[in-house]
Amino acid sequence: MPVSLLKLSADTMPPLIARLANLSFTNGVFPSRYKAGQVTPLLKKSSLPAHDPANYRPISNLCTFSKILEKLFLLRLRPHIMNSGSYCKFQSAYRKGHSTETALLKVINDVQRAAGQGLCTALLALDISAAFDTVHHDTLLARARTVFGIDEVALDWIRSFVTGRTQQIVVGPEKSAVSASSSGVPQGSVLGPMLFGMYVSPVGEVIAQHRVHYHQYADDMQLYVSLRPQNCVTIPSLEQCATDVSRWFAENALLLNPMKTEAVIFGTRRRLGQVSSAPGVMVAGAHVNFSDSVKLLGVTLDSALTFDKHITNISRCCHYHIRALRHIRPLLTLDTAKTIAASIVGSRLDYCNSVLYGVSQANIDRLQRVQNVLARVVAQAPSTISSVHIRRDLHWLPVNHRISYKLCLLTWKALHTAEPPYLSELISPYVPARTLRSSNTCLLAMPTGVTSHFSSRSFSASAPSTWNSLPVHIRSLEKLSTFKRQLKSYFFQSAFTV
């Protein structure tokens, strides 16, 4: 049933759906007719060979009512899981207030603060093969009962949801035979990601034994450790941690793929110059060489965190879409052109842009030229008109102000919602030694030990610096919608007031 038709039937369908949900939850049974999934294989990256089945991600198309039931169950399950204290603190996927951007800010903050102490950071980006499809059902149910305290009817409902499923591969008009699914949680479901997060949550205890930092985003995991440049030749703590993590995955029916695991050493150019030729690290019996860059959650991080390669990739991708937009622009209204520009180009300029705080002016200028070209295409303005005037008429903030805007927005959320905890712990209110007029101005304390430009770019330093530069009446706002509106107005006036 199409979602649009369901919305048009809002006066008749809700009582029926509520009746279905109540029966399902009371009896601990997920309807069997909703367990059939049509799997559409999607190529993970356009650059990967299309003839290799391993390069595809199996996305399950499930019926509308199945997702409604899952969402209702998740609304009851999520508070219990998050309040249990057993869910991984550093799992940033599918959680309120968490995102790829907050995950990257945490990892990069740790790297930059370590660099301020003269250290380099060795990082491993682990890859798990077919993670969602290999979840062992009995292990998942045992973990839900023993680790998260789910039992009785709720546990029966989860058992009914994950077992007895069937799937069928659909490629264009062709369909495969229907086959049973003996393991895994369906990719494309509402409840699947939460169940997978519960399944892999105990791996944090394995990592903690090695005193290695880590972060997770669904099945993406980063292990990293900071050490002196001269100690980067061999990193036994990281290797042993990777070995134990690989063993834990194997014991839980997950497979770590060392061939797709990447390794990199971060640090300032000066410290990286002191690193001897590092042979790499051993991961699951395979040797992984250190590379000059690694792509984490859609952002390319080079070893010196200059973001040169990342900005080059953004510029190339944006110009490709701008050329396509230019061809159809005469056929579009201004509002439609602005919507398309924001969705296909603006979204790429804004994606995780808070990590770009403090990058070189040359890189900011490269991104600004992309925005200028986009604005000129959208407005169909002649070359005689300044791009500044065009952006002002479109009400677009310049790139550097968009970065500051995002950073302030994340800071507000960390202060007022304490989400995510790993970012809110990095900032604290300013408390003067004695009562001053600045005591009630909502200032943040500046961290100690920030001795270089590299470390000043970290979230723990850049967030207080940017936040404290805001007017006090904006810092004091308690409502998010009002804060966002006045924050944009403030940056807009700063950018375009002569």
Side-chain angles (χ1 to χ4, degrees), residues 120-122 227-235 265-266 275-281 290:
C120 291
T121 301
L227 62 168
R228 296 290 176 185
Q230 57 270 22
N231 297 334
C232 292
V233 178
T234 58
I235 313 174
I265 297 179
F266 294 111
V275 176
S276 303
S277 180
V281 293
F290 287 112

Side-chain angles (χ1 to χ4, degrees), residues 291-310:
S291 60
D292 294 331
S293 63
V294 62
K295 191 169 186 178
L296 298 181
L297 304 177
V299 176
T300 303
L301 306 178
D302 56 280
S303 56
L305 290 182
T306 63
F307 292 96
D308 291 345
K309 186 179 294 187
H310 176 65

Side-chain angles (χ1 to χ4, degrees), residues 453-497:
H453 174 69
F454 195 91
S455 58
S456 68
R457 292 166 51 193
S458 63
F459 179 82
S460 58
S462 61
S465 176
T466 309
W467 178 266
N468 292 346
S469 66
L470 298 176
V472 62
H473 73 275
I474 296 180
R475 296 198 302 266
S476 304
L477 293 173
E478 297 290 334
K479 190 176 181 180
L480 179 58
S481 58
T482 306
F483 176 80
K484 292 170 68 175
R485 184 174 60 254
Q486 295 201 21
L487 181 65
K488 184 175 181 180
S489 298
Y490 167 75
F491 281 122
F492 189 84
Q493 294 174 3
S494 301
F496 298 108
T497 302

Side-chain angles (χ1 to χ4, degrees), residues 238-304:
L238 194 60
E239 291 184 345
Q240 186 58 49
C241 181
T243 300
D244 289 350
V245 167
S246 177
R247 184 184 300 112
W248 187 91
F249 283 148
E251 293 171 352
N252 287 269
L254 299 174
L255 178 63
L256 183 64
N257 187 354
M259 303 305 296
K260 292 186 177 180
T261 296
E262 298 178 279
V264 65
I265 297 179
F266 294 111
T268 63
R269 294 187 185 276
R270 178 183 175 185
R271 297 300 179 187
L272 290 174
Q274 299 173 3
V275 176
S276 303
S277 180
V281 293
M282 295 296 296
V283 178
H287 186 266
V288 179
N289 292 318
F290 287 112
S291 60
D292 294 331
S293 63
V294 62
K295 191 169 186 178
L296 298 181
L297 304 177
V299 176
T300 303
L301 306 178
D302 56 280
S303 56

Side-chain angles (χ1 to χ4, degrees), residues 177-200:
V178 177
S179 61
S181 300
S182 58
S183 64
V185 291
Q187 295 192 52
S189 65
V190 175
L191 193 57
M194 174 62 72
L195 296 178
F196 180 81
M198 294 165 54
Y199 188 77
V200 300

Side-chain angles (χ1 to χ4, degrees), residues 194-414:
M194 174 62 72
L195 296 178
F196 180 81
M198 294 165 54
Y199 188 77
V200 300
S201 191
V203 73
E205 300 175 4
V206 177
I207 301 173
Q209 296 174 4
H210 298 275
R211 298 183 179 181
V212 171
H213 299 286
Y214 74 100
H215 209 97
Q216 294 177 276
Y217 192 91
D219 57 342
D220 291 326
M221 177 181 289
Q222 298 83 44
L223 304 177
Y224 55 100
V225 61
S226 299
L227 62 168
R228 296 290 176 185
Q230 57 270 22
N231 297 334
C232 292
V233 178
T234 58
I235 313 174
S237 60
L238 194 60
E239 291 184 345
Q240 186 58 49
C241 181
T243 300
D244 289 350
V245 167
S246 177
R247 184 184 300 112
W248 187 91
F249 283 148
E251 293 171 352
N252 287 269
L254 299 174
L255 178 63
L256 183 64
N257 187 354
M259 303 305 296
K260 292 186 177 180
T261 296
E262 298 178 279
V264 65
I265 297 179
F266 294 111
T268 63
R269 294 187 185 276
R270 178 183 175 185
R271 297 300 179 187
L272 290 174
Q274 299 173 3
V275 176
S276 303
S277 180
V281 293
M282 295 296 296
V283 178
H287 186 266
V288 179
N289 292 318
F290 287 112
S291 60
D292 294 331
S293 63
V294 62
K295 191 169 186 178
L296 298 181
L297 304 177
V299 176
T300 303
L301 306 178
D302 56 280
S303 56
L305 290 182
T306 63
F307 292 96
D308 291 345
K309 186 179 294 187
H310 176 65
I311 291 174
T312 297
N313 294 338
I314 292 178
S315 300
R316 183 187 301 116
C317 182
C318 288
H319 280 301
Y320 171 83
H321 290 291
I322 290 173
R323 287 192 295 270
L325 178 60
R326 183 182 283 113
H327 289 308
I328 64 172
R329 177 61 187 92
L331 306 176
L332 306 174
T333 63
L334 178 60
D335 289 340
T336 303
K338 289 170 65 176
T339 301
I340 295 175
S343 61
I344 66 175
V345 180
S347 60
R348 287 175 168 82
L349 291 175
D350 289 341
Y351 178 72
C352 294
N353 60 344
S354 62
V355 303
L356 301 179
Y357 180 89
V359 299
S360 66
Q361 187 60 43
N363 277 331
I364 294 295
D365 292 341
R366 292 167 65 192
L367 294 178
Q368 188 59 63
R369 285 193 291 270
V370 172
Q371 191 190 46
N372 292 344
V373 173
L374 177 65
R376 200 172 293 279
V377 170
V378 169
Q380 293 183 302
S383 57
T384 55
I385 301 179
S386 170
S387 59
V388 176
H389 294 95
I390 300 173
R391 286 188 280 105
R392 182 184 60 193
D393 293 340
L394 293 173
H395 218 263
W396 288 1
L397 289 175
V399 169
N400 59 333
H401 287 78
R402 296 173 85 92
I403 294 173
S404 298
Y405 173 88
K406 178 72 75 62
L407 194 58
C408 291
L409 184 58
L410 290 171
T411 304
W412 187 96
K413 292 179 178 179

